[in-house]
Amino acid sequence: MKLVVVGGGAGGPTAAARARRLDEGAKIVLFERGEHISYAHCGLPYYIGGVIKDRGRLLVSTPERFRKRYRVEVRTYSEVRAVMPDVRQVEVLDRRTGKLYRERYDKLILSPGADPIRPRLPGADMEGVFSLRNLTDADIILAYISERRPSKAVVVGAGFIGLEMAENLRLRGMDVVVVEKLDQVLPALDRDMAYLVRRTLLSHGVEVVLSDPVDSFTERDDRIAVRMGSGREIICDMVILSIGVRPNVDLAKSAGLKIGEKGGIKVDEHMCTSDPNIYAVGDAVEVRNVVAGEFVLMPLAGPANRQARIAADNIFGRSSSYRGTLGTCVVKLFDITAAATGANEKVLRSHGIPYEKCYLHPFSHATYYPGASQMTMKLLFSPDGGRVLGTQIVGGDGVDKRIDVFSTAISAGMTVEDLTHLELGYVPQYGSAKDPVNMAGYVASNILVGDAPVVHWDGADGGLILDVRTEAEFASDGVPGARNLPVDDIRDNLESLPRDVPIYLYCGVGVRSYVATRILKQHGFDVRNISGGILARRIVDRSSIT
């Protein structure tokens, strides 16, 4: 068996290493068009920002170490230009010598990745305008910073890499402006949750410009003028383009492989393409979204590594299947962490999938132990049966481990009732006796069984809005038109409440209003608990401001 692997990023080396572990006698050749294999792409912004100071730490493996440990013939600076499936050969360009030659294969794994999108805008190729995709790009950006000492940078695009770059350039002391053509940062989140991220960026001195696409780049007195669609100009010293990636499917097209409707390589659950001798993994392939059922592009290292292992398994006789993606993602920005898994509201609405939602604001661990930080959690679930559909969390400590639990729950097809039964590790330094995941399950389950009928701020009309906090809290930031009746006084004032209109209850985060809901419901009132309380109102209201 001769296996040829194309691409030295996340998927290629994983596939080659797995292949060697399955077959000591196979001949394995790995082609990489650049200098490096197995480098930590996700660490590049932090290398530029100086958080990671040793460049060598980014090199997970080197061609030499890979050859020695796995007996894989690694050929760097070797660009595969074409695939000829009829004769099972690839055409390779040696970029150092210019020699063009062919290499035979029995099985082929394509892991060509994706390339940064370079907009066709005037000045996009001028000096000082960069994209970040590999270690060489990072070296070039660092050299520019060292030589030019820029004082102001513009980051185009407010996705994960763009915001990480904004943070790290800010840490280097630069003034930073993030510009985004959409009306929010982090499109993986819904706009209300993304507002919390934007608020953090602003609090750390990063200017955020939304709903205003870039129109052009021009030189202005040895600096760069970034002109926006609105006509505004931002003068800066460097620009980072981070507007997404495009799957590299040229090789697949040269081989006549099927391309999916999203523009990625079409593969089956075994990661096999339309040619039975060619497999494909990573950023260039389309995979099924577990919740929505659609095929999507998912340029993440975790899925690429799993797909690579699955492809190698199937090539060497072990049946293995890729079960789809949830798009689980997490990002740390300054002092917060934002994470998401499953579908968001935008995806559910676009696919006509019925859902209910709830907000809660739990703490990372028991509040009596010092250092607890509050998080905002948004849970999306099916109104029929309570299947967990998606979760978004923004906060400090503890966000990462909770999103992993929700990801596991969605993968297992669990319901919100199932969340209440999870036995999660508890010690006051790390959690609570009722973990935030359990609490999310309780809140959602109470909605489903009717113990706490829910309404959201945009639907609380045509009735009485009742603030059940203290008088002092109500005086501080009560909702206009609302009435105040503290939860502890409700039983003594039932006669003062109307029975002919709905009563919408709120408090700070939804806990006291839940207690009030139970009291009034059992006394025959038509009540709704406003999900997430006054904190949710602030998020929703302020997220509507671009």
Side-chain angles (χ1 to χ4, degrees):
M1 165 75 76
K2 182 175 181 180
L3 173 65
V4 167
V5 181
V6 179
T14 296
R18 176 63 174 170
R20 176 57 72 218
R21 292 194 294 270
L22 294 177
D23 191 334
E24 185 66 16
K27 180 174 176 59
I28 305 172
V29 181
L30 171 65
F31 291 107
E32 165 56 40
R33 64 183 176 180
E35 177 184 1
H36 308 286
I37 66 167
S38 295
Y39 60 87
H41 176 265
C42 295
L44 296 180
Y46 305 97
Y47 172 51
I48 292 171
V51 178
I52 299 172
K53 300 184 184 301
D54 182 0
R55 182 180 185 275
R57 302 283 292 177
L58 296 172
L59 299 173
V60 180
S61 185
T62 65
E64 294 73 24
R65 289 203 300 265
F66 210 75
R67 291 187 192 101
K68 186 173 181 63
R69 176 163 298 180
Y70 297 109
R71 291 297 189 268
V72 171
E73 186 177 343
V74 179
R75 302 183 195 174
T76 55
Y77 295 107
S78 297
E79 182 178 355
V80 176
R81 304 289 292 272
V83 177
M84 293 154 283
D86 53 335
V87 292
R88 294 194 195 178
Q89 292 180 351
V90 293
E91 185 178 77
V92 186
L93 172 67
D94 187 325
R95 298 179 64 188
R96 285 168 294 195
T97 66
K99 177 184 176 183
L100 197 64
Y101 65 96
R102 292 187 177 189
E103 189 79 22
R104 184 192 64 81
Y105 66 84
D106 294 311
K107 298 290 184 180
L108 175 66
I109 297 179
L110 299 178
S111 184
D115 292 326
I117 297 174
R118 298 282 300 194
R120 295 181 178 178
L121 297 174
D125 295 324
M126 67 184 295
E127 185 182 16
V129 179
F130 304 97
S131 293
L132 177 64
R133 185 58 181 168
N134 54 44
L135 189 52
T136 301
D137 292 337
D139 290 335
I140 293 172
I141 292 171
L142 267 178
Y144 184 89
I145 292 173
S146 177
E147 177 183 348
R148 301 295 185 90
R149 300 191 179 280
S151 62
K152 186 171 183 177
V154 169
V155 177
V156 182
F160 291 103
I161 298 297
L163 296 190
E164 288 171 348
M165 280 301 304
E167 176 192 22
N168 280 279
L169 294 177
R170 185 74 182 128
L171 291 176
R172 292 190 70 99
M174 296 185 207
D175 293 330
V176 179
V177 182
V178 174
V179 297
E180 169 60 56
K181 69 177 181 180
L182 301 178
D183 62 359
Q184 68 170 81
V185 301
L186 289 186
L189 304 182
D190 287 317
R191 192 178 182 189
D192 49 6
M193 298 296 285
Y195 157 74
L196 298 171
V197 178
R198 174 161 61 102
R199 183 180 67 182
T200 293
L201 293 169
L202 295 173
S203 71
H204 285 83
V206 176
E207 183 181 352
V208 180
V209 179
L210 301 176
S211 302
D212 200 359
V214 173
D215 195 53
S216 66
F217 307 95
T218 56
E219 185 177 351
R220 185 74 54 80
D221 298 327
D222 292 328
R223 303 186 78 192
I224 301 170
V226 182
R227 186 173 180 82
M228 314 299 295
S230 63
R232 176 185 176 183
E233 280 194 343
I234 304 172
I235 307 300
C236 64
D237 303 295
M238 66 180 297
V239 174
I240 302 293
L241 297 176
S242 184
I243 57 178
V245 295
R246 181 180 292 109
N248 194 332
V249 296
D250 292 344
L251 286 179
K253 289 181 177 179
S254 76
L257 303 180
K258 288 184 179 179
I259 304 299
E261 61 183 32
K262 300 294 184 180
I265 304 171
K266 194 77 172 174
V267 293
D268 63 16
E269 69 272 20
H270 305 300
M271 307 312 299
C272 187
T273 69
S274 53
D275 185 308
N277 297 307
I278 303 177
Y279 291 70
V281 302
D283 297 358
V285 306
E286 293 186 6
V287 291
R288 185 178 60 84
N289 179 281
V290 171
V291 176
E294 66 172 343
F295 283 89
V296 296
L297 297 166
M298 191 57 59
L300 296 172
N305 276 278
R306 293 195 300 276
Q307 294 161 14
R309 181 184 175 95
I310 289 167
D313 280 355
N314 284 285
I315 287 173
F316 288 91
R318 295 195 179 187
S319 181
S320 181
S321 298
Y322 188 68
R323 299 179 181 180
T325 184
L326 294 176
T328 305
C329 52
V330 60
V331 61
K332 178 190 176 297
L333 296 168
F334 298 105
D335 53 0
I336 68 158
T337 300
T341 188
N344 57 33
E345 282 197 77
K346 293 173 289 189
V347 170
L348 294 173
R349 285 196 301 264
S350 68
H351 288 81
I353 299 174
Y355 68 93
E356 184 53 272
K357 64 183 177 181
C358 63
Y359 299 87
L360 58 158
H361 309 278
F363 282 84
S364 56
H365 60 72
T367 54
Y368 63 79
Y369 190 89
S373 60
Q374 194 169 32
M375 63 184 80
T376 294
M377 185 179 292
K378 180 178 183 178
L379 176 63
L380 303 168
F381 54 97
S382 169
D384 181 15
R387 178 189 169 207
V388 182
L389 300 175
T391 309
Q392 300 161 52
I393 314 175
V394 180
D397 293 339
V399 169
D400 55 336
K401 74 173 184 176
R402 271 68 186 218
I403 206 67
D404 287 343
V405 177
F406 282 110
S407 174
T408 302
I410 298 173
S411 296
M414 294 172 67
T415 67
V416 294
E417 173 69 17
D418 293 327
L419 297 180
T420 70
H421 294 284
L422 291 178
E423 187 172 330
L424 303 172
Y426 163 56
V427 69
Q429 297 94 326
Y430 299 116
S432 304
K434 292 180 181 179
D435 189 86
V437 174
N438 300 132
M439 289 302 302
Y442 287 130
V443 172
S445 295
N446 286 335
I447 293 171
L448 288 182
V449 301
D451 283 350
V454 72
V455 70
H456 303 285
W457 281 105
D458 57 0
D461 52 26
L464 170 65
I465 298 179
L466 190 64
D467 187 322
V468 299
R469 298 177 297 166
T470 65
E471 293 181 6
E473 288 174 295
F474 179 68
S476 173
D477 62 353
V479 174
R483 174 183 167 186
N484 178 229
L485 180 59
V487 61
D488 295 336
D489 298 334
I490 283 180
R491 291 184 182 89
D492 297 328
N493 291 274
L494 294 176
E495 298 79 7
S496 70
L497 297 175
R499 292 181 177 274
D500 57 345
V501 296
I503 301 176
Y504 305 115
L505 306 171
Y506 77 89
C507 61
V509 298
V511 177
R512 284 174 287 178
S513 57
Y514 164 60
V515 175
T517 298
R518 294 301 302 144
I519 294 172
L520 292 177
K521 184 174 176 59
Q522 293 180 77
H523 282 278
F525 289 89
D526 181 9
V527 290
R528 304 284 189 278
N529 187 11
I530 303 178
S531 182
I534 199 71
L535 283 185
R537 177 182 173 85
R538 293 172 188 159
I539 293 169
V540 172
D541 284 353
R542 294 170 187 174
S543 68
S544 64
I545 303 173
T546 299

